[in-house]
Amino acid sequence: MPGIGHKSAQRLAFHVLNMSDAEITEFSEAILNAHKNIHRCSVCCDLTDSELCPVCENDTRDRSVICVVEDPRDVMAIERTREYNGVYHVLHGAISPLNGIGPEDITTKELIARLGNDEVKEVIMATNPTVEGEATAVFLSRLIKPLGIEVSRLAYGVPVGADLEYADEVTLSKAIEGRKRI
Amino acid sequence: MPGIGHKSAQRLAFHVLNMSDAEITEFSEAILNAHKNIHRCSVCCDLTDSELCPVCENDTRDRSVICVVEDPRDVMAIERTREYNGVYHVLHGAISPLNGIGPEDITTKELIARLGNDEVKEVIMATNPTVEGEATAVFLSRLIKPLGIEVSRLAYGVPVGADLEYADEVTLSKAIEGRKRI
Protein backbone atom coordinates (compact mmCIF):
# COMPACT_ATOMS: atom_id res chain seq x y z
CA MET A 1 0.00 0.00 0.00
CA PRO A 2 1.32 3.46 -0.90
CA GLY A 3 3.23 5.24 1.87
CA ILE A 4 3.14 2.19 4.15
CA GLY A 5 6.60 0.76 4.74
CA HIS A 6 7.63 -2.38 6.57
CA LYS A 7 7.28 -0.95 10.07
CA SER A 8 3.96 0.81 9.48
CA ALA A 9 2.61 -2.39 7.91
CA GLN A 10 3.60 -4.34 11.00
CA ARG A 11 2.02 -1.76 13.32
CA LEU A 12 -1.23 -1.80 11.33
CA ALA A 13 -1.27 -5.61 11.19
CA PHE A 14 -0.95 -5.86 14.98
CA HIS A 15 -3.66 -3.23 15.39
CA VAL A 16 -6.00 -5.35 13.25
CA LEU A 17 -5.11 -8.47 15.23
CA ASN A 18 -6.01 -6.66 18.46
CA MET A 19 -9.48 -5.64 17.26
CA SER A 20 -12.52 -7.30 18.83
CA ASP A 21 -14.65 -9.66 16.70
CA ALA A 22 -17.37 -7.01 16.30
CA GLU A 23 -14.86 -4.36 15.26
CA ILE A 24 -13.13 -6.57 12.73
CA THR A 25 -16.45 -7.55 11.11
CA GLU A 26 -17.50 -3.90 10.86
CA PHE A 27 -14.09 -2.96 9.46
CA SER A 28 -14.07 -5.63 6.77
CA GLU A 29 -17.66 -4.83 5.81
CA ALA A 30 -16.78 -1.13 5.53
CA ILE A 31 -13.98 -2.01 3.13
CA LEU A 32 -16.23 -4.32 1.11
CA ASN A 33 -19.04 -1.75 0.97
CA ALA A 34 -16.70 1.03 -0.09
CA HIS A 35 -15.50 -1.16 -2.92
CA LYS A 36 -19.01 -2.22 -3.87
CA ASN A 37 -20.77 1.14 -3.60
CA ILE A 38 -18.18 3.59 -4.90
CA HIS A 39 -18.28 3.82 -8.67
CA ARG A 40 -17.90 6.42 -11.37
CA CYS A 41 -20.45 9.21 -11.77
CA SER A 42 -22.35 8.49 -14.97
CA VAL A 43 -21.71 12.04 -16.20
CA CYS A 44 -18.26 13.20 -15.09
CA CYS A 45 -16.59 9.88 -14.14
CA ASP A 46 -15.68 11.22 -10.68
CA LEU A 47 -16.04 8.67 -7.87
CA THR A 48 -19.35 8.67 -6.02
CA ASP A 49 -21.66 6.38 -4.05
CA SER A 50 -24.81 7.51 -5.83
CA GLU A 51 -25.84 7.66 -9.48
CA LEU A 52 -24.49 11.20 -9.92
CA CYS A 53 -21.66 12.86 -7.98
CA PRO A 54 -22.57 15.85 -5.76
CA VAL A 55 -21.25 18.34 -8.34
CA CYS A 56 -23.20 16.88 -11.29
CA GLU A 57 -26.31 16.64 -9.11
CA ASN A 58 -26.05 20.28 -8.02
CA ASP A 59 -28.35 22.45 -10.15
CA THR A 60 -26.51 25.67 -9.31
CA ARG A 61 -23.27 24.57 -11.02
CA ASP A 62 -22.53 26.12 -14.39
CA ARG A 63 -22.76 23.31 -16.97
CA SER A 64 -21.26 25.45 -19.74
CA VAL A 65 -17.74 25.02 -18.34
CA ILE A 66 -16.09 21.62 -17.92
CA CYS A 67 -12.85 21.38 -15.99
CA VAL A 68 -10.89 18.29 -17.10
CA VAL A 69 -8.68 16.72 -14.41
CA GLU A 70 -6.61 13.55 -14.20
CA ASP A 71 -7.71 12.32 -10.81
CA PRO A 72 -10.62 12.54 -8.33
CA ARG A 73 -8.17 14.11 -5.85
CA ASP A 74 -7.73 17.03 -8.28
CA VAL A 75 -11.49 17.66 -8.12
CA MET A 76 -11.16 17.89 -4.34
CA ALA A 77 -8.19 20.29 -4.69
CA ILE A 78 -10.10 22.61 -7.03
CA GLU A 79 -13.26 22.42 -4.90
CA ARG A 80 -11.18 23.59 -1.93
CA THR A 81 -10.49 26.87 -3.76
CA ARG A 82 -14.26 27.63 -3.62
CA GLU A 83 -13.75 29.71 -6.75
CA TYR A 84 -14.83 27.33 -9.47
CA ASN A 85 -18.52 26.92 -10.21
CA GLY A 86 -18.45 24.79 -13.34
CA VAL A 87 -18.55 21.01 -13.59
CA TYR A 88 -15.73 18.47 -13.94
CA HIS A 89 -14.58 15.58 -16.05
CA VAL A 90 -12.23 13.04 -14.47
CA LEU A 91 -9.91 11.30 -16.94
CA HIS A 92 -8.59 8.72 -14.45
CA GLY A 93 -5.07 9.08 -15.78
CA ALA A 94 -3.07 10.92 -18.42
CA ILE A 95 -1.87 9.86 -21.84
CA SER A 96 1.62 8.41 -21.52
CA PRO A 97 2.89 6.41 -24.50
CA LEU A 98 5.99 5.37 -22.52
CA ASN A 99 3.78 3.64 -19.95
CA GLY A 100 1.45 2.28 -22.61
CA ILE A 101 -1.45 4.56 -21.65
CA GLY A 102 -3.29 5.81 -24.71
CA PRO A 103 -6.40 7.96 -25.18
CA GLU A 104 -8.57 4.83 -25.01
CA ASP A 105 -7.31 4.07 -21.47
CA ILE A 106 -8.66 7.32 -20.03
CA THR A 107 -12.22 8.66 -20.23
CA THR A 108 -11.69 10.44 -23.56
CA LYS A 109 -14.82 8.91 -25.11
CA GLU A 110 -17.00 9.93 -22.19
CA LEU A 111 -15.67 13.50 -22.41
CA ILE A 112 -16.34 13.83 -26.13
CA ALA A 113 -19.82 12.38 -25.64
CA ARG A 114 -20.62 15.20 -23.18
CA LEU A 115 -19.76 17.87 -25.76
CA GLY A 116 -22.49 16.74 -28.15
CA ASN A 117 -25.13 19.20 -26.98
CA ASP A 118 -24.65 22.94 -27.38
CA GLU A 119 -24.54 23.59 -23.65
CA VAL A 120 -20.74 23.46 -23.25
CA LYS A 121 -18.89 26.69 -24.09
CA GLU A 122 -15.47 26.10 -22.56
CA VAL A 123 -13.30 23.17 -21.53
CA ILE A 124 -10.53 23.98 -19.02
CA MET A 125 -7.60 21.57 -19.22
CA ALA A 126 -6.59 21.19 -15.59
CA THR A 127 -4.39 18.16 -16.11
CA ASN A 128 -1.15 18.19 -14.11
CA PRO A 129 1.62 20.59 -15.20
CA THR A 130 3.82 17.62 -16.16
CA VAL A 131 4.89 16.17 -19.50
CA GLU A 132 2.02 13.64 -19.48
CA GLY A 133 -0.55 16.21 -18.32
CA GLU A 134 0.58 18.65 -20.98
CA ALA A 135 0.49 16.00 -23.73
CA THR A 136 -3.01 14.99 -22.64
CA ALA A 137 -4.17 18.63 -22.68
CA VAL A 138 -2.79 19.15 -26.18
CA PHE A 139 -4.23 15.87 -27.50
CA LEU A 140 -7.71 16.57 -26.10
CA SER A 141 -7.69 20.19 -27.25
CA ARG A 142 -7.11 18.99 -30.82
CA LEU A 143 -10.18 16.80 -30.54
CA ILE A 144 -12.35 19.46 -28.93
CA LYS A 145 -11.46 22.66 -30.78
CA PRO A 146 -12.94 21.48 -34.13
CA LEU A 147 -16.30 21.23 -32.28
CA GLY A 148 -16.22 25.02 -31.91
CA ILE A 149 -15.71 24.88 -28.13
CA GLU A 150 -13.15 27.09 -26.44
CA VAL A 151 -10.30 25.18 -24.78
CA SER A 152 -8.13 26.78 -22.10
CA ARG A 153 -5.21 25.64 -19.99
CA LEU A 154 -4.40 26.40 -16.34
CA ALA A 155 -1.92 29.24 -15.99
CA TYR A 156 1.67 28.31 -15.35
CA GLY A 157 3.53 30.66 -13.04
CA VAL A 158 5.01 31.29 -9.65
CA PRO A 159 2.99 29.85 -6.78
CA VAL A 160 1.53 32.44 -4.40
CA GLY A 161 3.71 32.98 -1.31
CA ALA A 162 6.82 31.52 -2.91
CA ASP A 163 10.25 33.07 -3.24
CA LEU A 164 11.51 33.87 -6.76
CA GLU A 165 15.00 32.84 -5.78
CA TYR A 166 13.84 29.25 -5.31
CA ALA A 167 11.60 29.03 -8.37
CA ASP A 168 12.86 26.64 -11.03
CA GLU A 169 13.98 28.03 -14.39
CA VAL A 170 11.09 26.63 -16.43
CA THR A 171 8.43 27.97 -14.07
CA LEU A 172 10.13 31.35 -13.91
CA SER A 173 10.35 31.68 -17.67
CA LYS A 174 6.67 30.65 -17.95
CA ALA A 175 5.84 33.33 -15.36
CA ILE A 176 7.69 35.97 -17.38
CA GLU A 177 6.16 34.77 -20.65
CA GLY A 178 2.66 34.80 -19.15
CA ARG A 179 2.99 38.18 -17.44
CA LYS A 180 -0.12 40.31 -17.27
CA ARG A 181 -0.69 44.03 -17.57
CA ILE A 182 -1.53 45.68 -14.28
CA MET B 1 25.21 33.79 10.08
CA PRO B 2 22.13 32.47 8.25
CA GLY B 3 21.85 28.70 8.04
CA ILE B 4 24.85 28.15 10.34
CA GLY B 5 23.84 26.54 13.60
CA HIS B 6 25.92 25.80 16.68
CA LYS B 7 27.62 22.69 15.32
CA SER B 8 28.39 24.12 11.87
CA ALA B 9 29.80 27.24 13.54
CA GLN B 10 32.09 25.12 15.66
CA ARG B 11 33.24 23.10 12.64
CA LEU B 12 33.96 26.25 10.63
CA ALA B 13 35.76 27.87 13.56
CA PHE B 14 38.07 24.88 13.94
CA HIS B 15 38.66 24.87 10.18
CA VAL B 16 39.76 28.53 10.37
CA LEU B 17 42.00 27.76 13.35
CA ASN B 18 43.69 24.98 11.37
CA MET B 19 44.49 27.22 8.37
CA SER B 20 48.13 28.15 7.76
CA ASP B 21 49.24 31.77 8.24
CA ALA B 22 49.30 32.39 4.48
CA GLU B 23 45.84 30.91 4.02
CA ILE B 24 44.28 32.90 6.80
CA THR B 25 45.76 36.18 5.48
CA GLU B 26 44.44 35.44 2.00
CA PHE B 27 41.03 34.47 3.42
CA SER B 28 40.64 37.62 5.50
CA GLU B 29 41.79 39.81 2.63
CA ALA B 30 39.29 38.14 0.31
CA ILE B 31 36.52 38.98 2.76
CA LEU B 32 37.75 42.56 3.16
CA ASN B 33 38.09 43.04 -0.62
CA ALA B 34 34.65 41.62 -1.31
CA HIS B 35 33.21 44.11 1.15
CA LYS B 36 35.26 47.00 -0.25
CA ASN B 37 34.84 46.31 -3.97
CA ILE B 38 31.26 45.09 -4.26
CA HIS B 39 28.84 47.96 -4.55
CA ARG B 40 25.64 48.81 -6.38
CA CYS B 41 25.59 49.21 -10.16
CA SER B 42 25.06 52.90 -10.86
CA VAL B 43 22.18 52.07 -13.23
CA CYS B 44 20.23 49.09 -11.91
CA CYS B 45 21.43 48.91 -8.26
CA ASP B 46 22.42 45.24 -8.66
CA LEU B 47 25.65 44.29 -6.88
CA THR B 48 28.82 44.44 -8.95
CA ASP B 49 32.56 44.96 -8.61
CA SER B 50 32.83 47.40 -11.51
CA GLU B 51 31.04 50.66 -12.35
CA LEU B 52 28.26 48.87 -14.23
CA CYS B 53 26.96 45.35 -13.69
CA PRO B 54 27.46 42.82 -16.53
CA VAL B 55 23.84 43.17 -17.66
CA CYS B 56 23.86 46.97 -17.83
CA GLU B 57 27.22 46.87 -19.58
CA ASN B 58 25.98 44.41 -22.21
CA ASP B 59 24.99 46.25 -25.41
CA THR B 60 22.87 43.39 -26.71
CA ARG B 61 20.37 43.63 -23.82
CA ASP B 62 17.04 45.24 -24.60
CA ARG B 63 16.88 48.49 -22.63
CA SER B 64 13.19 49.04 -23.38
CA VAL B 65 12.16 46.44 -20.78
CA ILE B 66 13.06 46.74 -17.10
CA CYS B 67 12.44 43.78 -14.82
CA VAL B 68 12.04 44.98 -11.21
CA VAL B 69 13.16 42.49 -8.54
CA GLU B 70 13.56 42.64 -4.79
CA ASP B 71 16.97 41.06 -4.47
CA PRO B 72 20.21 40.45 -6.43
CA ARG B 73 19.54 36.71 -6.05
CA ASP B 74 16.33 37.17 -8.06
CA VAL B 75 18.39 38.59 -10.93
CA MET B 76 20.48 35.42 -10.84
CA ALA B 77 17.32 33.27 -10.80
CA ILE B 78 15.87 35.04 -13.85
CA GLU B 79 19.22 34.97 -15.67
CA ARG B 80 19.29 31.21 -15.20
CA THR B 81 16.13 30.92 -17.32
CA ARG B 82 18.14 32.31 -20.32
CA GLU B 83 14.84 33.62 -21.66
CA TYR B 84 14.91 37.23 -20.54
CA ASN B 85 16.87 39.74 -22.59
CA GLY B 86 15.87 43.02 -20.96
CA VAL B 87 17.59 44.83 -18.10
CA TYR B 88 16.88 44.80 -14.36
CA HIS B 89 16.24 47.07 -11.43
CA VAL B 90 17.03 45.77 -7.95
CA LEU B 91 14.90 47.29 -5.17
CA HIS B 92 16.93 45.80 -2.30
CA GLY B 93 13.77 44.98 -0.37
CA ALA B 94 10.02 45.31 -0.57
CA ILE B 95 7.63 47.82 0.94
CA SER B 96 6.42 46.50 4.28
CA PRO B 97 4.72 49.01 6.57
CA LEU B 98 4.60 46.42 9.38
CA ASN B 99 8.39 46.22 9.37
CA GLY B 100 8.77 49.96 8.89
CA ILE B 101 10.05 49.65 5.30
CA GLY B 102 8.62 52.40 3.11
CA PRO B 103 9.16 53.36 -0.55
CA GLU B 104 12.11 55.56 0.49
CA ASP B 105 13.95 52.54 1.96
CA ILE B 106 14.11 50.71 -1.36
CA THR B 107 15.49 52.03 -4.67
CA THR B 108 12.20 53.61 -5.78
CA LYS B 109 13.84 56.95 -6.62
CA GLU B 110 16.54 55.32 -8.75
CA LEU B 111 13.87 53.37 -10.66
CA ILE B 112 11.74 56.42 -11.40
CA ALA B 113 14.87 58.32 -12.49
CA ARG B 114 15.55 55.65 -15.12
CA LEU B 115 12.12 56.12 -16.69
CA GLY B 116 12.79 59.75 -17.60
CA ASN B 117 13.94 59.08 -21.15
CA ASP B 118 11.60 57.60 -23.75
CA GLU B 119 13.58 54.40 -24.11
CA VAL B 120 11.63 52.32 -21.57
CA LYS B 121 8.42 50.75 -22.92
CA GLU B 122 7.60 48.16 -20.26
CA VAL B 123 8.33 47.54 -16.60
CA ILE B 124 7.86 43.94 -15.43
CA MET B 125 7.12 43.68 -11.70
CA ALA B 126 9.00 40.53 -10.68
CA THR B 127 8.78 41.15 -6.95
CA ASN B 128 8.10 38.04 -4.88
CA PRO B 129 4.59 36.54 -4.99
CA THR B 130 4.08 37.46 -1.32
CA VAL B 131 1.99 40.13 0.41
CA GLU B 132 4.95 42.55 0.54
CA GLY B 133 6.02 41.83 -3.05
CA GLU B 134 2.46 42.31 -4.28
CA ALA B 135 2.06 45.59 -2.35
CA THR B 136 5.35 46.85 -3.78
CA ALA B 137 4.27 45.93 -7.32
CA VAL B 138 0.96 47.75 -6.92
CA PHE B 139 2.58 50.81 -5.34
CA LEU B 140 5.23 51.13 -8.04
CA SER B 141 2.75 50.49 -10.85
CA ARG B 142 0.70 53.47 -9.64
CA LEU B 143 3.80 55.65 -9.89
CA ILE B 144 4.85 54.32 -13.29
CA LYS B 145 1.60 54.01 -15.23
CA PRO B 146 0.95 57.79 -15.34
CA LEU B 147 4.26 58.08 -17.22
CA GLY B 148 2.65 56.18 -20.11
CA ILE B 149 4.80 53.09 -19.59
CA GLU B 150 3.24 49.64 -19.63
CA VAL B 151 3.49 47.77 -16.32
CA SER B 152 3.11 44.00 -16.11
CA ARG B 153 3.24 41.43 -13.33
CA LEU B 154 4.70 37.91 -13.34
CA ALA B 155 2.06 35.27 -13.94
CA TYR B 156 0.75 33.42 -10.91
CA GLY B 157 -0.03 29.77 -11.51
CA VAL B 158 0.93 26.18 -10.98
CA PRO B 159 4.68 25.53 -11.09
CA VAL B 160 5.82 23.31 -13.97
CA GLY B 161 6.21 19.66 -12.94
CA ALA B 162 4.01 20.00 -9.87
CA ASP B 163 0.98 17.96 -8.91
CA LEU B 164 -2.39 19.72 -8.78
CA GLU B 165 -3.38 17.70 -5.77
CA TYR B 166 -0.67 19.40 -3.70
CA ALA B 167 -1.14 22.94 -5.03
CA ASP B 168 -2.45 25.38 -2.43
CA GLU B 169 -5.93 26.84 -2.85
CA VAL B 170 -4.82 30.41 -3.66
CA THR B 171 -2.35 29.31 -6.34
CA LEU B 172 -4.89 26.96 -7.86
CA SER B 173 -7.57 29.62 -8.04
CA LYS B 174 -5.04 32.04 -9.61
CA ALA B 175 -4.18 29.32 -12.14
CA ILE B 176 -7.85 28.90 -13.04
CA GLU B 177 -8.42 32.64 -13.15
CA GLY B 178 -5.38 33.16 -15.38
CA ARG B 179 -6.12 30.26 -17.73
CA LYS B 180 -5.16 30.75 -21.33
CA ARG B 181 -6.79 29.72 -24.57
CA ILE B 182 -4.97 26.90 -26.31
Side-chain angles (χ1 to χ4, degrees):
Chain A
M1 290 181 168
I4 306 292
H6 186 75
K7 285 194 178 172
S8 299
Q10 197 174 36
R11 199 175 57 240
L12 294 176
F14 276 102
H15 180 74
V16 168
L17 289 178
N18 281 329
M19 281 176 169
S20 70
D21 276 1
E23 278 174 333
I24 196 70
T25 318
E26 200 182 334
F27 181 56
S28 78
E29 273 175 6
I31 294 178
L32 271 176
N33 282 336
H35 204 265
K36 199 165 62 190
N37 296 332
I38 304 288
H39 50 85
R40 293 181 180 184
C41 166
S42 58
V43 176
C44 74
C45 302
D46 194 3
L47 297 178
T48 174
D49 58 357
S50 40
E51 170 62 16
L52 292 178
C53 73
V55 172
C56 289
E57 219 167 39
N58 187 336
D59 281 338
T60 67
R61 305 290 295 221
D62 177 4
R63 272 149 231 280
S64 70
V65 188
I66 297 181
C67 181
V68 176
V69 298
E70 291 181 22
D71 196 277
R73 278 165 290 193
D74 300 335
V75 172
M76 291 162 80
I78 296 176
E79 284 297 284
R80 278 197 298 270
T81 69
R82 297 160 184 266
E83 295 272 341
Y84 178 68
N85 194 39
V87 292
Y88 294 95
H89 189 84
V90 181
L91 294 174
H92 291 282
I95 297 172
S96 169
L98 278 179
N99 297 316
I101 300 172
E104 66 286 357
D105 299 314
I106 58 177
T107 61
T108 312
K109 227 170 43 195
E110 288 85 346
L111 174 61
I112 302 300
R114 292 177 69 181
L115 307 176
N117 60 36
D118 288 339
E119 207 177 24
V120 181
K121 302 274 175 275
E122 181 182 0
V123 175
I124 304 174
M125 290 295 162
T127 48
N128 279 331
T130 56
V131 176
E132 287 83 9
E134 199 60 42
T136 308
V138 171
F139 173 82
L140 291 177
S141 76
R142 287 196 189 142
L143 287 184
I144 297 169
K145 276 200 282 188
L147 306 174
I149 295 168
E150 190 170 313
V151 184
S152 59
R153 180 80 175 110
L154 281 193
Y156 280 113
V158 283
V160 178
D163 196 319
L164 279 201
E165 193 193 333
Y166 303 120
D168 65 283
E169 290 84 347
V170 190
T171 298
L172 208 44
S173 64
K174 291 270 184 187
I176 296 174
E177 192 187 304
R179 65 185 184 270
K180 286 183 167 184
R181 275 190 87 146
I182 53 172
Chain B
M1 290 182 168
I4 305 292
H6 185 76
K7 286 194 175 173
S8 299
Q10 195 175 37
R11 198 175 58 239
L12 294 176
F14 277 103
H15 180 76
V16 167
L17 289 178
N18 281 330
M19 281 176 170
S20 70
D21 277 0
E23 278 175 334
I24 196 71
T25 318
E26 200 183 334
F27 181 56
S28 79
E29 274 176 5
I31 293 179
L32 271 176
N33 282 336
H35 204 265
K36 199 165 62 191
N37 296 332
I38 304 289
H39 50 86
R40 292 182 181 184
C41 166
S42 59
V43 176
C44 74
C45 302
D46 195 5
L47 297 177
T48 175
D49 58 356
S50 42
E51 170 62 15
L52 292 178
C53 74
V55 173
C56 289
E57 219 166 42
N58 187 338
D59 281 338
T60 66
R61 303 292 294 224
D62 178 3
R63 271 149 232 280
S64 69
V65 189
I66 296 181
C67 181
V68 176
V69 297
E70 292 181 23
D71 196 277
R73 279 166 289 193
D74 300 334
V75 172
M76 291 161 80
I78 296 176
E79 283 297 282
R80 279 197 297 271
T81 69
R82 296 159 184 267
E83 295 273 340
Y84 178 68
N85 195 39
V87 292
Y88 294 95
H89 189 84
V90 180
L91 294 174
H92 290 283
I95 296 173
S96 170
L98 278 179
N99 296 315
I101 301 171
E104 66 286 356
D105 299 313
I106 58 177
T107 62
T108 311
K109 227 169 44 194
E110 288 85 345
L111 174 61
I112 302 299
R114 292 176 70 181
L115 307 176
N117 60 37
D118 287 339
E119 208 178 22
V120 182
K121 302 272 173 277
E122 181 182 0
V123 175
I124 303 174
M125 290 295 160
T127 48
N128 278 331
T130 55
V131 176
E132 287 84 10
E134 200 59 43
T136 308
V138 171
F139 174 83
L140 292 176
S141 75
R142 287 195 190 144
L143 287 184
I144 297 169
K145 276 200 281 186
L147 306 173
I149 295 168
E150 191 170 312
V151 184
S152 58
R153 179 82 176 111
L154 282 192
Y156 279 113
V158 283
V160 178
D163 196 317
L164 279 202
E165 194 194 331
Y166 303 120
D168 64 284
E169 290 84 348
V170 190
T171 299
L172 208 45
S173 64
K174 290 269 185 189
I176 297 173
E177 191 187 306
R179 65 185 184 271
K180 287 182 165 183
R181 275 190 86 146
I182 53 172

